[in-house]
Amino acid sequence: MDAIDEELLALLVDDGRRTFSDMAQQVGLSVGAVKRRVDRLRGAGVIQGFTARLDPAAIGWKVEAFTEVRYVGSTRVGDIVGTASTLPEVQAVYTIAGDPDALVQVRVRDLEHLQEVVDRLRRSGQVTGTKTLMVLGRWVRG
């Protein structure tokens, strides 16, 4: 991977629908050369896919929270991910070292919905405790 590949990746991260022609103009290569580079990056697994980013609040999922989850000491990491990932409100599960065992990112409609999701998390697997933190604002790199 060289500087041009990195520039192409940055362009695609900014707008995954960007055309090869537009990227070619940006990096000073031919359209064919850009397509070959992007195909190579996809083939190597650097580019794993293209998705649409939605505004969850615009579709009614206005509340975001992180729930710290603690499990019985004998719970396997795969089981931690498995129980939380079955809930459609769960956006991500981060298993972490130390206390707590996992950090679960959820997106819900309102506080009542959040309570329902936390209750479902508590009833799943071998959960010994939770602590939920509400998101007031966010900044994300990239």
Side-chain angles (χ1 to χ4, degrees):
M1 216 168 85
D2 61 16
I4 292 176
D5 288 340
E6 290 175 1
E7 193 172 348
L8 291 171
L9 291 172
L11 290 168
L12 285 171
V13 166
D14 180 57
D15 180 0
R17 293 179 48 134
R18 191 179 302 269
T19 65
F20 292 131
S21 176
D22 178 54
M23 289 189 293
Q25 287 180 324
Q26 296 284 329
V27 299
L29 293 176
S30 70
V31 173
V34 167
K35 182 183 181 324
R36 283 190 298 278
R37 283 175 175 262
V38 170
D39 288 346
R40 181 178 44 77
L41 291 166
R42 288 184 75 189
V46 175
I47 298 173
Q48 296 180 343
F50 299 91
T51 63
R53 288 185 304 206
L54 305 178
D55 177 1
I59 56 175
W61 295 69
K62 297 179 180 185
V63 176
E64 182 177 21
F66 287 87
T67 299
E68 295 177 354
V69 185
R70 288 162 187 78
Y71 288 83
V72 172
S74 60
T75 305
R76 293 187 348 238
V77 173
D79 294 338
I80 292 171
V81 173
T83 57
S85 65
T86 62
L87 304 175
E89 297 88 353
V90 171
Q91 305 299 297
V93 178
Y94 303 92
T95 53
I96 54 181
D99 183 36
D101 298 302
L103 190 59
V104 179
Q105 179 186 13
V106 298
R107 181 65 82 157
V108 294
R109 293 182 301 275
D110 52 34
L111 295 180
E112 183 178 324
H113 189 193
L114 177 59
Q115 182 177 342
E116 293 169 15
V117 171
V118 171
D119 285 345
R120 282 188 275 152
L121 277 170
R122 287 179 178 165
R123 287 191 306 264
S124 65
Q126 299 176 340
V127 174
T128 62
T130 63
K131 176 181 171 184
T132 299
L133 308 160
M134 302 261 308
V135 174
L136 300 177
R138 74 170 21 224
W139 175 86
V140 178
R141 183 175 309 281

